[in-house]
Amino acid sequence: MTAIQKIKGTNDILPDGFGEEIFRSSLWRFAEQTMTDLALRYGYAEIRTPIFESAELFIHSVGEETDIVRKEMFRFTDRGERDLVLRPEGTAGVVRAWIENKLGAHDPVSRLFYHGQMFRAERPQKGRYRQFHQFGVECIGGADARHDVEVIMLFWDLLQTLGVKRIRLEINSVGCAHCRPQYREALKAHFASSLDGLCADCRERYDKNILRMLDCKNPACQEILCTAPAMTASLCAVCAAAWQELQARLTALHLPWTANPRLVRGLDYYTRTAFEIVHDSIGAQATIAGGGRYDGLIGASGGADTPAVGGALGIERLLLAMQSESRTPPAAPVPEYCFILLDENCESQLEEALYALRARGVFAMHAEGSKQIAKQMRAASRLGARYAVFIGGDEWQAGDVLIKDMQSGAQKAYPVPPCGLAAFLLEHFFGETMRRIERGL
Ligand code: ATP
Ligand code: MG
């Protein structure tokens, strides 16, 4: 049988030494750990929602006229005839869970973060996949520009922490239900005479969701769309004040922002702040993170009217950015001791010591694969072990254990005390650790 291959647009995340650099599990673990630590430090608690939810949830909260709902959802009917979708984004599920589990019952502001797979039926290319991963945060109940800044700062800080420096922050305000209708009219009037030059999608958006038109990726459309009037010029007084405050707060924190009048979120639920963090050298899929305020969503989803702001970062794009800036994760841990078996009759003693060390938190391995010492030694050095421990042979028979420092090549025989090999190695390990600490290593 020909071997079955992975589905187009999905990726295996593999051990070091295999596959593309950005799909190494050590890098993912490092990025996910850094994100988790940072989000916890900002007071965000983790939430994990199901990977599939009702189609209705996404149609309602992402919006019928968005690309995600129109073209990109993996939608299926299960055996009970339920209409389901593999989640294309995180906010809808988090908001559902927040309402359903009454997460707002105790605190006025719920700070939540998540990371995991998302699914969109898009044309796969570098930085764009059908199964991809996002890290996202939602600050539910956060009503002020202060909360917008907190969310933006969290992503900015994360990228800095991971050594991604060549980034830009773009911001915009999409106004609110009071001021957006006039802006829509202004856009309609502005583009009425240039519709012929726009793509079919844009012409459809012109009628159904004109704001979304601004976000078209087609270069020919962009040339026409860049003449659009800015939303920030027609904000109502409340939105204008929030827009000014956002800028002032970002400037006070030395965040180098630029206003991008074409930055939009597609739906009426999305209000005021929209932001993106863009990287300069990861190619066409340059937006690493994006988000904004969605004051209307929770009320429109069956919850009490609650303001909120959030954002999401594409982990694959983050790793591409790290790669383009030559950032690598810290070296993976290596075994402290690697056992080399010289005599098969001694295997039970080896196993006993191996598991006793592991039980005490010491990384120990048995170099497998061959009875030949040379091959076992090569395996130990491939693993990067600090010490090789020889079990069996003449020294062993005489009551000694031979330990070889894999870096210096020096080896020494130690008498095994009555308390046994594992106890001896533990003492050896703590002695070595102390010496390393003293030497500042
Ligand atoms: P794009 O304009 O690139 O399609 P988007 O506006 O659809 O992005 P969001 O829904 O705002 O993206 O998702 C936030 C982030 O998730 C994006 O900035 C990007 O880093 C990542 N992302 C979105 N879609 C994909 C995908 N298909 N593959 C990989 N990453 C993605
Ligand atoms: Mg998209």
Side-chain angles (χ1 to χ4, degrees):
M1 177 186 163
T2 18
I4 295 170
Q5 306 217 315
K6 65 179 175 333
I7 304 294
K8 196 173 158 199
T10 66
N11 295 291
D12 295 314
I13 297 170
L14 301 169
D16 287 356
F18 297 92
E20 273 180 68
E21 206 177 303
I22 70 152
F23 294 112
R24 306 257 165 94
S25 52
S26 59
L27 190 57
W28 283 74
R29 218 170 31 250
F30 171 62
E32 285 164 357
Q33 191 61 54
T34 308
M35 287 165 190
T36 302
D37 292 347
L38 189 122
L40 292 171
R41 246 183 3 252
Y42 272 68
Y44 283 67
E46 186 173 6
I47 183 164
R48 300 189 187 202
T49 62
I51 276 181
F52 59 91
E53 302 247 14
S54 69
E56 201 191 340
L57 175 73
F58 297 106
I59 295 169
H60 175 78
S61 70
V62 180
E64 226 155 338
E65 292 312 322
T66 56
D67 285 352
I68 292 183
V69 170
R70 284 179 54 229
K71 306 189 272 199
E72 298 172 1
M73 289 200 306
F74 281 100
R75 188 170 181 176
F76 62 100
T77 308
D78 76 355
R79 289 162 206 237
E81 296 296 307
R82 279 169 287 255
D83 185 7
L84 304 175
V85 165
L86 295 182
R87 64 181 184 197
E89 58 93 57
T91 304
V94 171
V95 164
R96 179 206 46 72
W98 183 86
I99 298 172
E100 191 171 333
N101 299 289
K102 302 187 175 51
L103 297 186
H106 305 302
D107 291 315
V109 181
S110 309
R111 292 181 165 86
L112 301 167
F113 79 91
Y114 59 85
H115 59 84
Q117 288 92 334
M118 305 293 161
F119 305 85
R120 295 186 195 175
E122 302 196 71
R123 191 169 67 77
Q125 53 199 292
K126 186 180 166 200
R128 193 176 290 286
Y129 312 95
R130 291 187 174 164
Q131 175 179 272
F132 64 101
H133 299 73
Q134 282 184 340
F135 161 78
V137 303
E138 312 295 350
C139 178
I140 301 178
D144 309 326
R146 181 162 63 86
H147 299 107
D148 300 354
V149 170
E150 176 179 298
V151 168
I152 293 172
M153 199 57 190
L154 190 153
F155 287 109
W156 190 265
D157 200 354
L158 174 64
L159 289 160
Q160 299 288 315
T161 305
L162 289 169
V164 177
K165 309 276 182 196
R166 292 205 294 270
I167 45 177
R168 282 180 286 123
L169 168 64
E170 300 191 349
I171 54 169
N172 193 21
S173 172
V174 295
C176 67
H178 299 298
C179 47
R180 209 174 306 141
Q182 290 96 288
Y183 180 60
R184 275 209 197 90
E185 290 313 312
L187 278 182
K188 285 210 158 165
H190 182 85
F191 289 116
S193 58
S194 38
L195 277 181
D196 287 347
L198 296 171
C199 70
D201 275 349
C202 275
R203 288 200 297 274
E204 201 179 327
R205 290 181 192 124
Y206 180 87
D207 291 321
K208 293 192 172 150
N209 187 358
I210 190 161
L211 272 189
R212 199 78 219 180
M213 204 170 88
L214 297 179
D215 180 39
C216 179
K217 305 249 167 16
N218 185 326
C221 296
Q222 272 304 330
E223 254 175 57
I224 299 174
L225 295 169
C226 69
T227 64
M231 172 78 212
T232 46
S234 34
L235 296 174
C236 63
V238 183
C239 289
W243 172 233
Q244 290 306 326
E245 192 187 337
L246 174 71
Q247 297 175 47
R249 283 178 180 272
L250 291 173
T251 305
L253 290 170
H254 311 291
L255 275 185
W257 56 270
T258 50
N260 175 354
R262 278 182 303 290
L263 198 64
V264 289
R265 315 248 93 203
L267 282 175
D268 286 350
Y269 310 131
Y270 292 95
T271 49
R272 297 185 189 143
T273 307
F275 75 88
E276 279 187 4
I277 300 179
V278 185
H279 194 267
D280 285 330
S281 43
I282 53 170
Q285 322 309 325
T287 304
I288 303 185
R293 176 161 283 286
Y294 51 94
D295 287 350
L297 179 62
I298 296 168
S301 307
D305 273 337
T306 310
V309 54
L313 167 147
I315 301 183
E316 286 82 356
R317 292 191 197 172
L318 161 74
L319 300 181
L320 282 168
M322 283 175 67
Q323 186 186 31
S324 90
E325 299 203 34
S326 309
R327 301 292 155 189
T328 45
V334 292
E336 205 67 35
Y337 297 103
C338 193
F339 291 101
I340 310 291
L341 188 62
L342 306 184
D343 176 353
E344 277 179 72
N345 295 320
C346 302
E347 191 167 356
S348 64
Q349 286 149 293
L350 183 155
E351 297 256 302
E352 195 190 329
L354 181 69
Y355 290 111
L357 284 176
R358 288 175 177 171
R360 299 294 296 270
V362 179
F363 185 176
M365 292 290 286
H366 172 197
E368 270 179 298
S370 170
K371 287 182 187 162
Q372 291 176 31
I373 304 176
K375 284 198 176 159
Q376 290 190 53
M377 286 303 285
R378 272 203 293 281
S381 94
R382 257 200 316 277
L383 287 166
R386 288 182 199 269
Y387 294 99
V389 181
F390 297 88
I391 309 285
D394 295 344
E395 281 92 350
W396 184 259
Q397 296 309 333
D400 287 349
V401 58
L402 190 64
I403 298 184
K404 178 172 181 168
D405 181 324
M406 295 292 283
Q407 230 169 27
S408 69
Q411 53 184 43
K412 197 172 162 188
Y414 299 85
V416 180
C419 53
L421 178 63
F424 167 74
L425 287 175
L426 273 176
E427 204 180 303
H428 181 268
F429 171 70
F430 291 121
E432 282 304 302
T433 308
M434 286 311 291
R435 274 190 284 284
R436 254 178 250 146
I437 292 171
E438 278 161 16
R439 293 204 307 266
L441 295 175

